[in-house]
Amino acid sequence: MDIAEKMNVFQDAVQVDPRVVTQEHMMTEENLYIPEKTVGAPFVDDPKMRMRDVNVFYDTDQAIHGVSLDIGKNEVVALIGPSGCGKSTFLRCMNRMNDTIDICRVEGSLHLENQDIYDPKLDVVELRARVGMVFQKPNPFPKSIYDNVAYGPRIHGLANRKTDLDEIVENSLRKAGLWDEVKDRLDSPGTGLSGGQQQRLCIARTIAVSPEVVLMDEPCSALDPIATAKIEELIRELSESYTIAIVTHSMQQAARVSQRTAYFHLGWLVEMNDTDTVFTKPQHELTESYITGRFG
Amino acid sequence: MQTGQLLLILAAMIVTAFIMGRHRALQVAQPLGGIRHLRSLPFYYAMRSAIWCALPALTVLVAWLVFDQTLIRIMVLDSLPAELQPVDGTARNLILSQIGNVASGALPADFVDAAVANAAGRLNQLQSISAMAMAVVVIVLAMLGGAWAWLRVSARMPAREQVERVLLVVFMLCAVLAVVTTVGIVFSVLFESIRFFGQVPITDFLFGLNWSPQMALRADQVASEGAFGAVPLFAGTLLISAIALIVAVPVGLMSAIYLAEYAHSKVRSFAKPALEVLAGVPTVVYGFFAALTVAPFIRDVGQSLGLSVASESALAAGLVMGIMLIPFVSSLSDDVITAVPRAMRDASLGLGATRSETIKKVIFPAALPGIMGGILLAASRAIGETMIVVMAAGLAANLTANPLQAVTTITVQIVTLLTGDQEFDSAKTLAAFALGLMLFITTLLMNVVALHIVKKYREQYE
């Protein structure tokens, strides 16, 4: 029995037993205990990305409160938590996509290996080439499938000759598991693909620039179960060569694809540990409530 | 009864029909247990009553107004004795206007034939009968229609469907109106142009290099022969429009990109309306700005550089026109650039593209149709603009590519041809219509080409 199944059983049990979901057990925002310190094991040795005391503000509202965590090399880290808990905001700090929002301000130290991500001298273009991103809704450019994948390599000048570019496009589409489906129609528009294919095209487009880290912001939330299964399969394969951070609403998905899981709550990082541990022996009351479905 | 009074009564009846229809629907609904048991909302029953009241009555009213004068005239003419019966159209109009004048009291009755005076009396009589009959018929029709609709209100009647069907026809008629007007204008211009080309060979007009439309209106007048070569006008129009677009398109586009992509929201909320104010300045104001400020300035600068510049120059008119067109390009482009979804920007930026790469490779292609639309609108305005050119570029039809000389445009010549005393069989007057036709064909071709370009290069996002 893998963890996802265990969790299903656990959740079913919770839903069947009416005593568990009673008024006293229902969590409300007022009586929530906000931790001073993250429980579990948020840090690893020799991390790929190291975040310390990260605070994020939208104007005067604080969205992230002193989050510290590491993302190890070639591991898949899942960020879970109820809506509005700041997991997407935190993800977008890691390649400075928050820069595009005028009112957003980030404090703390974020490092990609030894590079300070928020160093004013840093070129965000180079950062975003190293830390790629896949978005919630598939967002292929209204260009051909080929041009979609070739977009990144072209702007970064990764290919000198047409044949090099062809090779990058083919490799990326193969890695994204899309090559066989589209190899005969590379010239047709990327927007004409199905939702799941579009999302895999977006993943191909992201890995075409050979990033070291891939950030995924709820990549399956707009997809049907079969397309979701394909993307999850792809994430597992990609984790062999890339470091991946994925935000997800589905705890089953977190359990299926990730090695470590971070639970966010109202902008605080409550708990972070091996996925196995988080889902079977959560140390914090809030984590337990969330994964057993008492709120979310 | 006056038609105006009749319309007022009709309006009151329609409102009454609406209120009564609504009331009736509510009444029908009450025993059933509320309006949710009706097939349509009470509003639609009310609308249906109003339509039944209005439509037949208004149709008859319009038909009556269109045909009654013709019928009355025929009847009046028939009443004339045989020796007074008109022989041709001119005589017919003459006698009819005589009768009309007597009838309205403008001409004393003893001033004309007794038969004509009689006819005038008959005209008055017929007209008052017609007006009375029309009022009665229209009011009765409105009442019958309203009553019919009122009686037919029932829970199962598909009132909404019927109202929607009528509205559909109304929408269609509105669309047809626009098309019919366009066709009408085209044909009226076309027929006058054909008359013009009967007097001046079409090849002379299209390929002639000399434009000098002054010609003798009377046989004894001393004037030149008149030359109708339109090439200098086309050249002038193109020259000024080109200068205007060279100013407006880059400035407009770049300001749109700045406002949409780089400007802080505070700057944007102030700068965009300010820019749009430019579009509201009357062209005549631009005109004297061009003639009194820009043209002398260009002349002075030209003189200091040793160039000979006319005090009215294509450059002055084109520059000012370009400034006038900036808001057309920038405002429309800004709207379409902002409409490109954020997901597109995020995708591009997330791949490590710079802002300018994102604008060039993603946003610009996606916004192209709208941008082209803005440029096209600006170009049509440039070609059709008259006032600035009249004031700043002059009337001299010089065939030149030198922007420092005075030129004239098609629209300016149309204005000068059609102001003052006119004679509609003279080539001079008719030339205006031929020029109008050419102008129309030019803009039409431009539209077709632009649509083609847009179709070929657009990148459609979802």
Side-chain angles (χ1 to χ4, degrees):
Chain A
M1 208 191 243
D2 78 350
I3 348 171
E5 280 172 62
K6 273 186 225 162
M7 220 185 57
N8 282 340
V9 172
F10 187 35
Q11 274 193 350
D12 287 349
V14 168
Q15 272 151 18
V16 168
D17 188 349
R19 285 167 305 169
V20 179
V21 193
T22 55
Q23 209 54 45
E24 305 95 278
H25 286 86
M26 289 295 278
M27 293 270 177
T28 57
E29 289 192 9
E30 286 76 28
N31 64 17
L32 282 178
Y33 161 66
I34 299 302
E36 290 293 311
K37 200 168 170 292
T38 305
V39 299
F43 307 128
V44 295
D45 293 333
D46 191 21
K48 184 76 189 173
M49 297 191 81
R50 186 161 49 88
M51 273 66 71
R52 292 294 180 272
D53 301 316
V54 176
N55 293 307
V56 181
F57 301 86
Y58 289 112
D59 225 357
T60 53
D61 296 336
Q62 190 164 3
I64 298 284
H65 301 263
V67 169
S68 300
L69 63 84
D70 286 340
I71 296 175
K73 288 192 170 114
N74 286 16
E75 75 171 353
V76 180
V77 169
L79 311 180
I80 62 169
S83 298
C85 68
K87 51 196 191 306
S88 289
T89 301
F90 186 71
L91 192 77
R92 290 168 66 93
C93 292
M94 292 196 262
N95 69 344
R96 289 183 55 175
M97 280 303 282
N98 280 339
D99 289 12
T100 60
I101 300 165
D102 283 346
I103 55 167
C104 185
R105 199 172 86 243
V106 179
E107 289 174 358
S109 91
L110 295 93
H111 283 82
L112 172 62
E113 292 182 328
N114 290 321
Q115 174 68 56
D116 180 0
I117 293 175
Y118 279 83
D119 185 345
K121 285 188 297 249
L122 174 89
D123 180 11
V124 286
V125 168
E126 190 218 352
L127 171 71
R128 289 179 188 151
R130 291 176 69 189
V131 184
M133 188 155 197
V134 176
F135 296 86
Q136 188 168 359
K137 256 177 67 184
N139 56 352
F141 298 124
K143 300 173 186 289
S144 70
I145 294 172
Y146 185 95
D147 286 341
N148 259 286
V149 182
Y151 185 85
R154 276 184 182 141
I155 56 175
H156 294 296
L158 298 182
N160 295 322
R161 288 190 310 260
K162 175 87 171 91
T163 47
D164 292 349
L165 193 60
D166 290 347
E167 203 180 304
I168 294 176
V169 170
E170 179 174 342
N171 279 339
S172 310
L173 285 169
R174 274 190 198 285
K175 278 191 201 159
L178 197 59
W179 176 250
D180 290 328
E181 289 163 64
V182 300
K183 66 180 174 209
D184 299 325
R185 47 174 175 145
L186 292 173
D187 289 335
S188 57
T191 41
L193 298 172
S194 75
Q197 287 173 327
Q198 285 189 12
Q199 194 60 298
R200 278 182 284 150
L201 178 63
C202 293
I203 293 174
R205 183 176 68 185
T206 306
I207 59 185
V209 289
S210 314
E212 297 157 41
V213 181
V214 178
L215 309 174
M216 297 187 172
D217 190 357
E218 298 185 39
C220 302
S221 66
L223 304 181
D224 63 70
I226 295 169
T228 302
K230 278 196 176 154
I231 303 266
E232 287 179 4
E233 168 90 45
L234 178 59
I235 292 171
R236 278 193 293 270
E237 281 167 18
L238 292 176
S239 68
E240 286 165 18
S241 27
Y242 305 97
T243 302
I244 296 173
I246 175 170
V247 164
T248 175
H249 259 125
S250 154
M251 285 171 278
Q252 284 90 339
Q253 184 172 69
R256 282 193 294 263
V257 300
S258 70
Q259 281 93 54
R260 294 201 306 138
T261 296
Y263 173 67
F264 281 74
H265 194 93
L266 297 175
W268 273 272
L269 176 59
V270 176
E271 179 164 357
M272 184 165 186
N273 222 326
D274 294 338
T275 300
D276 222 347
T277 317
V278 170
F279 283 111
T280 52
K281 292 189 286 293
Q283 295 173 21
H284 199 280
E285 192 188 351
L286 281 170
T287 320
E288 190 183 346
S289 303
Y290 181 71
I291 63 169
T292 54
R294 263 180 251 166
F295 63 88
Chain B
M1 188 186 297
Q2 298 288 319
T3 316
Q5 289 168 319
L6 184 61
L7 278 175
L8 273 182
I9 292 175
L10 199 57
M13 289 177 73
I14 293 169
V15 171
T16 315
F18 182 91
I19 293 167
M20 282 176 68
R22 188 183 153 79
H23 184 72
R24 170 94 173 143
L26 291 173
Q27 229 173 23
V28 167
Q30 205 169 28
L32 296 172
I35 55 166
R36 69 201 162 88
H37 293 283
L38 293 177
R39 205 180 140 156
S40 307
L41 287 171
F43 170 78
Y44 288 104
Y45 289 97
M47 273 303 281
R48 183 177 178 274
S49 299
I51 288 170
W52 264 106
C53 179
L55 220 51
L58 280 177
T59 315
V60 168
L61 181 66
V62 169
W64 201 296
L65 288 176
V66 170
F67 293 113
D68 86 320
Q69 287 308 315
T70 326
L71 283 176
I72 288 173
R73 267 183 214 150
I74 291 170
M75 285 161 80
V76 167
L77 281 179
D78 280 347
S79 74
L80 284 174
E83 71 271 15
L84 277 175
Q85 285 294 338
V87 282
D88 57 6
T90 323
R92 189 169 174 273
N93 283 342
L94 194 68
I95 197 143
L96 275 176
S97 74
Q98 224 173 29
I99 295 172
N101 283 338
V102 175
S104 65
L107 206 62
D110 49 9
F111 211 74
V112 289
D113 255 323
V116 172
N118 278 341
R122 184 154 171 72
L123 178 70
N124 273 339
Q125 192 189 0
L126 281 174
Q127 263 170 350
S128 67
I129 291 174
S130 163
M132 272 313 283
M134 179 174 80
V136 169
V137 168
V138 166
I139 288 173
V140 167
L141 264 179
M143 274 163 72
L144 282 179
W148 165 254
W150 188 81
L151 284 173
R152 285 287 306 265
V153 172
S154 75
R156 266 173 308 167
M157 200 191 52
R160 180 174 55 82
E161 285 89 329
Q162 291 179 5
V163 169
E164 280 170 357
R165 229 170 293 150
V166 173
L167 283 181
L168 194 69
V169 174
V170 171
F171 292 152
M172 207 183 68
L173 286 178
C174 291
V176 167
L177 186 73
V179 175
V180 166
T181 316
T182 314
V183 172
I185 291 174
V186 170
F187 273 97
S188 73
V189 172
L190 188 68
F191 288 136
E192 301 297 339
S193 304
I194 289 170
R195 281 178 66 192
F196 171 73
F197 291 128
Q199 297 183 25
V200 175
I202 190 163
T203 45
D204 283 10
F205 177 72
L206 287 180
F207 306 114
L209 300 181
N210 191 9
W211 176 265
S212 147
Q214 299 309 324
M215 58 190 290
L217 291 180
R218 295 188 315 273
D220 57 336
Q221 217 169 17
V222 180
S224 54
E225 260 302 284
F228 294 95
V231 171
L233 306 190
F234 278 100
T237 307
L238 283 181
L239 182 62
I240 291 183
S241 302
I243 295 170
L245 288 178
I246 287 170
V247 175
V249 171
V251 176
L253 254 178
M254 285 186 222
S255 68
I257 288 172
Y258 170 73
L259 285 178
E261 295 292 322
Y262 295 101
H264 195 272
S265 56
K266 277 180 200 150
V267 177
R268 185 182 149 79
S269 65
F270 161 78
K272 202 176 176 210
L275 206 67
E276 276 159 8
V277 167
L278 268 185
V281 178
T283 56
V284 67
V285 176
Y286 281 113
F288 58 68
F289 173 58
L292 302 180
T293 313
V294 177
F297 175 73
I298 290 175
R299 190 191 53 209
D300 294 348
V301 170
Q303 270 167 358
S304 70
L305 292 173
L307 297 168
S308 85
V309 183
S311 57
E312 291 177 325
S313 66
L315 189 61
L319 284 179
V320 173
M321 203 192 283
I323 290 168
M324 180 190 85
L325 295 177
I326 289 171
F328 286 88
V329 180
S330 79
S331 191
L332 276 168
S333 306
D334 176 69
D335 286 346
V336 287
I337 289 173
T338 339
V340 174
R342 190 182 176 83
M344 294 291 116
R345 279 163 238 265
D346 279 357
S348 177
L349 295 172
L351 284 167
T354 62
R355 259 180 167 177
S356 84
E357 282 164 343
T358 304
I359 292 165
K360 273 184 294 195
K361 299 194 171 174
V362 176
I363 293 171
F364 196 75
L368 188 68
I371 292 172
M372 277 303 285
I375 293 176
L376 205 70
L377 188 67
S380 329
R381 278 297 299 259
I383 291 175
E385 174 51 40
T386 316
M387 216 57 224
I388 295 175
V389 190
V390 171
M391 295 172 82
L395 298 171
N398 292 327
L399 180 57
T400 173
N402 180 1
L404 303 177
Q405 283 195 357
V407 294
T408 192
T409 66
I410 299 175
T411 49
V412 168
Q413 286 306 315
I414 292 178
V415 170
T416 49
L417 288 175
L418 289 183
T419 40
D421 289 340
Q422 301 309 324
E423 221 183 305
F424 261 79
D425 50 0
S426 130
K428 185 189 164 200
T429 314
L430 292 174
F433 290 93
L435 288 175
L437 185 69
M438 290 301 129
L439 203 57
F440 179 75
I441 291 173
T442 315
T443 25
L444 193 73
L445 282 179
M446 232 169 61
N447 273 306
V448 171
V449 170
L451 274 180
H452 181 75
I453 293 173
V454 165
K455 225 181 237 170
K456 194 165 170 195
Y457 292 106
R458 83 183 295 189
E459 292 187 348
Q460 201 163 16
Y461 53 83
E462 275 154 25

